[in-house]
Amino acid sequence: MIAEVIVDVMASEVDKVFDYILPEDQNITVGDRVCVPFGSRQIDGFVINIKQTSNYNASKLKQITKKKDAQPLLSENIIKLCFFMKQKFFLRLADTIRLFLPPVVRNGKVKEKLVNYVFLNCDDFLISKKAPNQLKALMYLKEKGKTTQTELNKLFGASAVNALIEKQLIKLESTKTNRTPKNKFSVEKKQITLNAQQANAVEVISKSHYQPFLLKGVTGSGKTEVYINCIQNALKQGKTAIMLVPEISLTPQMFARFRNAFGDTVAILHSSLTNGERFDEWNRLHSGEARIAIGARSCIFAPMENVGVIVVDEEHDNSYYSESNPRYHTHEVARYLAYLNNCPLILGSATPSVESYYLAKKGEYRLIQLTERANKKELPNIEIVDMLSEIHLGNTGIFSTRFLSELETCLKNKKQAMIFINRRGFSSFLMCKECGYVPKCEDCDVSLVYHKEDETLKCHYCNRRYRTLPVCPKCKSSSIRYGAVGTQRVVEELKKMFDVPIFRLDNDINKNAYIDVLETFNQTSPAILVGTQMIAKGHDFNNVTLVGIVDADMSLHFSDYKAIERTFQLITQVSGRAGRSESEGKVVLQTYYPKHFVYRCASNYDYGAFFKKELNLREVSHFPPFVNILRVLVLGEDEKKVLTNLEQIYNAVKLLKEEYSSDFVYLHAMKCPKKRLQKNYRYQILIRIYKKNEVEIISKIYAICDKLKTSKVSIFVENDPQNLS
Ligand code: ADP
Ligand code: ZN
Ligand code: ZN
């Protein structure tokens, strides 16, 4: 018999399936990790298929050396997913397999944790008076039944305990113990009766086979309760569940809610686990002891069989795109996994991505809506404040008079305020302080990015360069503003004005401190929390009545076709933090563009109007969902080789463009905005093609890259990249 093996080597030359002779005596099956001879070395590989004969010369085939683990590490579905990802995202098979096997599982350095328990091994004992500790230890055990050796050593001394073991008066037993991620948080267990909309959602989803659902529910509408109930129904049918959340909203509160509902059946996979915890949580899932996996993006690769439902919460979140190798879109992986398991997929959000909502409109996703907050309260009122008129009135500070007066009232009433600052586009755009003009690319209609090193403005979609502006072309003013205020500056200003505790959360704070800050803020009133997008999501604070959005425009000018969409999402998410319990909430949004449609739509909570307008813009400017953007990244330490390779690929794609001339919107090769990273020179080819023959064209582009790859240059292809740096 012949085994097809993928070798665990990260080189594109060996990215194929190799045939090996299957040793008859080792009981090797599909999914097993094995040791195989490869060149002069022994390396790891994975058996992905077993067949009768090979097309290769039988005398040249080598034999598998041995099987490495008691149980197969990969299931048939995982193997199918790996091939799917290779074909869909232009990845190497070895890379895809590694996604399913975290380093702690693969490298064998972390072991199971064994704890020694001690028991009494006799009915009667006679102990010399000279050994009082031994006697006490035995008395203690007689009363308690069993305890850990560590505990007994601590109480009565290791020498006494060892003596008792030697005399066989007590015996030892090693037991495997799980290292469980601790959760400082507990939330009160509420008895919740689903409202009619929630109950309907749960019923429709739970009786469905394979089907992607878009669950669009306003902030606080109880989407999480819907997820919990759908997962409960899946478990009742003996199935398992996967729930993905953005890393940032994987809050202790969220985890505590799941622990309340499911106890030890939940395993959590997130980036701040210790290696031991990750190892044990993974194994609890692999063995079936835990049946719900909850975690960030990579949790879609949890070792789950017989999946009954997959949830992608906050589906619009950027973190679902992997931007470093291996690059993939979590939605697509989740969708294929749901298809393989013939189960529903729930994509949940208050502000779905334009792409997802478009697919829902086209009927590819099924739309389910929750239109009311669970507490029956109105969504907070969003008031738009025009910052240009503030300047004209002589207020050049960070805060509008309107916001300051609201803040005063809020703090006087012993409530909490959150102040949101968007740092996404930090210092990367220019704006006229007089009229609000921001320079845009004439070809692409996205904001230009300011490059300090060569004093130019650049478009990140077409690489066109513009000179920086000494005066505003619109109003001729020379007061041009670069960039933005940061969180620290805001905190400083507030301290001068208010004598209440002020907390700050941004990327400079580490994960553990982050949880502490949230927790302390939660228990302090009056108080102010200042933060970046970190504070936008998921948090359920009861006492927040005021939300201030200091510089709403910042994400609007991000040089990205999704800038408006992100702005809409952020405003909705941040506003959703206010008024979540008894008191009403209020939002003040400061902008230099009070008339921009995104603010009008967001302040009316009118997703429909936003979507209509935005979709129209995308259509006329040729952006997704009407086109696919492809980026071929060509990287390497030797710039000449990179350029040669780039040119070959570019020429081949150009030929393709001639063949499919009506499908191509755009094709251009250029330096990446980040020209050199980690010693690698970075070049890219940007391609935009209409949605029509895109599957065919993309596969041809993959084939070109596959054919032209060399060992000294890395080629990555991204489909609809989120970031063009
Ligand atoms: P979302 O995920 O849509 O923002 P959550 O699921 O966090 O909303 O729910 C918001 C709050 O409302 C939570 O405190 C939750 O416990 C509560 N809640 C949800 N559904 C109900 C319900 N049917 N009855 C009462 N309270 C509910
Ligand atoms: Zn101007
Ligand atoms: Zn451009």
Side-chain angles (χ1 to χ4, degrees), residues 407 519 647:
L407 185 55
E519 183 51 357
E647 199 180 341

Side-chain angles (χ1 to χ4, degrees), residues 432 434-435 437 472 474-475:
C432 169
E434 276 307 311
C435 73
Y437 169 84
C472 169
K474 219 168 125 193
C475 76

Side-chain angles (χ1 to χ4, degrees), residues 114-118 147-150 172-175 177:
L114 295 176
V115 171
N116 286 334
Y117 283 93
V118 284
T147 186
T148 63
Q149 189 180 11
T150 325
L172 275 180
E173 228 174 74
S174 288
T175 319
T177 320

Side-chain angles (χ1 to χ4, degrees), residues 190-195 198 217-227 257 313-314 370 374-375 538 540 577 580:
K190 286 193 240 174
Q191 201 54 47
I192 285 179
T193 315
L194 298 184
N195 63 35
Q198 288 171 315
V218 299
T219 54
S221 59
K223 293 184 288 296
T224 312
E225 295 305 326
V226 171
Y227 308 148
R257 268 169 93 173
D313 187 29
E314 311 279 5
L370 306 177
N375 65 2
D540 206 7
R577 298 314 111 209
R580 289 176 78 90

